[in-house]
């Protein structure tokens, strides 16, 4: 029953692939300072009120490693001080030792895994980004890209702002800092009402964990619960790895505010139809995740079934291109009765070639 809308998008996969490549350009990215802009596939995670918050975040980021393999970062708050560790490389390389986690003290923390970009990796762009505002500290981690970030940045710099990175995420911090609203959450809402584009955000203040999803719902963000503590994550697979319970998707145009008082929902944009990115189902998300109420595995398998119905071929075997192509190949094989065989074996330590920063590196992979 889901096949028709799925295949409508699948028939446009070639165009989508061209678009994904094209967004590496300066005009599409919207903020091409040093070319270090595209964050289509980053992963974000946050937890509030857990005695070992940073360790939980590190595990969550490990489950989201497929969404970004260039760099990782965690910011925590211990009731008095914010602590930050941001490093290039994989989560396991930076956050597996106990000493690093022990430096990230506190019962609230957020983290980020970074997707490769056209530009080089520079530490000042590794998230979460942090700034001291009039009402206290604010750390932000962002998955997506802002289409009006460059114009806002130019306006901010023209008015005297001093920027520390080439990331469009920093624009959110500046907009919140310049808001005249008294509370940080109100400043955060002011900032969201200025930006445009695709984003799923987690933010941390000295009292709150905040999540927000863009008005179109292009990027995914879910709410989970572990022993009474709330969690925000890009995908449900990050909840599974720590034994957390999936509560619900964050709605498009919604902010959730988690504090000692519980959880509050605020709508910062008018209700509109959900417009999720089809590439979450085709490639970005892990197959064991549920995105917008749909099993990624089932969607990919149904795509293979529908492909067999619409464009079946006379073949001896069906061979997937691992790993995201495996469920689709299974669906194709089952629908046609053609045997499924693993004709291509992927080296699992090579990482995901699609998210390498240059075509030359992707070809080598």
């Amino acid at each position: 029953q889901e096949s028709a809308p799925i295949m409508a998008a699948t028939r446009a996969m070639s165009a989508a692939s061209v678009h994904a490549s094209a967004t590496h350009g300066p005009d599409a990215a919207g903020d091409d300072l040093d070319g270090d802009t595209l964050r289509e596939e980053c992963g974000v995670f946050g937890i509030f009120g857990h005695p070992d918050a940073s360790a939980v975040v590190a595990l969550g980021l490990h489950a989201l490693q497929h969404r970004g393999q260039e760099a990782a970062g965690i910011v925590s708050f211990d009731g008095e001080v914010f602590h930050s560790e941001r490093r290039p490389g994989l989560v396991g390389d930076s956050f597996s030792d106990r000493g690093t986690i022990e430096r990230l003290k506190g019962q609230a923390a957020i983290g980020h895994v970074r997707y490769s970009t056209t530009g080089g990796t520079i530490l000042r762009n590794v998230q979460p980004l942090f700034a001291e505002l009039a009402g206290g500290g604010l750390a932000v981690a962002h998955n997506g890209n802002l289409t009006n970030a460059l114009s806002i940045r130019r306006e901010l710099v023209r008015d005297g702002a001093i920027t520390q990175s080439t990331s469009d995420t920093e624009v959110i911090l500046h907009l919140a800092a310049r808001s005249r609203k008294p509370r940080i959450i109100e400043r955060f809402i002011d900032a969201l009402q200025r930006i445009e584009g695709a984003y799923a955000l987690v933010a941390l203040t000295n009292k709150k964990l905040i999540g927000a999803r863009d008005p179109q719902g292009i990027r995914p963000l879910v709410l989970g619960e572990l022993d009474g503590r709330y969690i925000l994550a890009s995908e449900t697979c990050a909840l599974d790895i720590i034994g957390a319970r999936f509560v619900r998707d964050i709605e498009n145009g919604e902010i959730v505010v988690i504090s000692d008082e519980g959880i509050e929902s605020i709508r910062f944009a008018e209700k509109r139809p959900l417009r999720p990115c089809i590439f979450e189902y085709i490639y970005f998300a892990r197959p064991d995740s549920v995105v917008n109420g749909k099993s990624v595995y089932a969607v990919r398998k149904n795509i293979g079934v529908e492909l067999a119905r619409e464009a079946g071929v006379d073949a001896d075997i069906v061979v997937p291109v691992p790993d995201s192509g495996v469920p689709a190949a299974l669906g194709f094989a089952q629908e046609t009765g053609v045997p499924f065989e693993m004709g291509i074996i992927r080296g699992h330590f090579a990482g995901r070639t699609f998210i390498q920063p240059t075509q030359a590196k992707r070809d080598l992979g």
Side-chain angles (χ1 to χ4, degrees):
Q1 285 69 32
E2 296 174 349
S3 296
I6 289 170
M7 287 311 301
T10 306
R11 279 189 288 268
M13 279 180 66
S14 295
S17 299
V18 171
H19 172 72
S21 299
T23 55
H24 283 273
D27 294 334
D31 183 11
D32 192 47
L33 302 174
D34 297 337
D36 196 10
T37 54
L38 189 66
R39 272 164 306 285
E40 288 291 333
E41 197 199 351
C42 296
V44 296
F45 190 97
I47 188 168
F48 187 87
H50 194 281
D52 210 2
S54 294
V56 173
V57 170
L59 280 170
L61 293 180
H62 185 72
L64 297 172
Q65 187 75 86
H66 59 287
R67 300 188 68 88
Q69 299 169 13
E70 181 185 341
I74 297 175
V75 171
S76 67
F77 181 69
D78 66 5
E80 296 182 358
V81 178
F82 285 89
H83 305 274
S84 176
E85 292 278 347
R86 301 180 298 152
R87 301 180 183 179
L90 302 178
V91 176
D93 295 337
S94 299
F95 296 100
S96 59
D97 64 288
R98 193 66 200 175
T100 302
I101 296 299
E102 287 177 349
R103 287 196 297 273
L104 292 163
K105 300 174 182 178
Q107 296 193 358
I110 64 172
H112 185 270
V113 286
R114 180 179 169 82
Y115 169 57
S116 296
T117 68
T118 305
T121 305
I122 49 179
L123 191 58
R124 61 196 173 106
N125 282 341
V126 179
Q127 298 183 41
L129 298 184
F130 174 79
E132 289 284 357
L133 276 57
L138 175 65
V140 177
H142 168 213
N143 169 33
N145 70 314
L146 307 182
T147 55
N148 63 341
L150 184 56
S151 59
I152 294 177
R153 177 185 290 274
R154 286 171 174 164
E155 174 189 325
L156 291 166
V157 172
R158 191 167 52 244
D159 290 345
I162 299 173
T163 59
Q164 300 295 319
S165 74
T166 60
S167 167
D168 54 6
T169 309
E170 189 177 5
V171 166
I172 300 169
L173 289 172
H174 278 283
L175 291 174
R178 288 175 173 243
S179 170
R180 293 295 178 260
K181 297 292 176 61
R183 298 168 59 223
I184 285 189
I185 185 61
E186 294 172 325
R187 290 166 172 256
F188 190 72
I189 293 171
D190 269 1
L192 295 189
Q193 291 175 337
R194 286 284 313 276
I195 61 176
E196 299 171 359
Y199 55 86
L201 300 168
V202 294
L204 183 65
T205 74
N206 56 9
K207 294 180 180 178
K208 297 176 174 66
L209 173 66
I210 304 167
R213 195 174 179 196
D214 69 75
Q216 306 270 28
I218 298 170
R219 292 281 152 246
L221 188 65
V222 300
L223 177 69
E225 180 264 330
L226 176 66
D227 300 327
R229 285 94 173 192
Y230 285 111
I231 296 167
L232 295 167
S234 290
E235 293 183 37
T236 59
C237 65
L239 304 178
D240 297 337
I241 197 173
I242 59 172
R245 177 179 67 91
F246 169 73
V247 177
R248 66 176 177 89
D249 289 297
I250 304 303
E251 294 184 5
N252 47 317
E254 180 190 18
I255 292 175
V256 291
V257 183
I258 300 164
S259 66
D260 289 332
E261 283 72 47
I263 185 167
E264 177 187 8
S265 173
I266 302 170
R267 177 155 292 282
F268 70 92
E270 63 182 21
K271 189 79 172 179
R272 63 181 71 176
L274 187 68
R275 300 292 298 274
C277 174
I278 191 64
F279 247 70
E280 292 288 346
Y281 295 108
I282 293 170
Y283 181 83
F284 287 166
R286 243 173 58 169
D288 53 329
S289 283
V290 176
V291 176
N292 300 311
K294 293 185 173 69
S295 160
V296 174
Y297 179 86
V299 169
R300 288 178 185 169
K301 192 172 180 182
N302 286 339
I303 286 174
V305 169
E306 189 64 24
L307 180 63
R309 292 171 180 168
E310 295 190 13
V313 295
D314 183 20
D316 299 312
I317 57 173
V318 178
V319 175
V321 179
D323 280 328
S324 57
V326 172
L330 280 169
F332 190 99
Q334 290 177 11
E335 181 66 17
T336 59
V338 177
F340 172 96
E341 295 288 351
M342 293 295 292
I344 301 172
I345 305 300
R346 181 173 80 84
H348 284 267
F349 297 101
R352 301 186 84 177
T353 55
F354 179 83
I355 59 175
Q356 293 302 315
T358 65
Q359 185 61 41
K361 288 186 178 180
R362 289 192 288 273
D363 290 343
L364 285 171

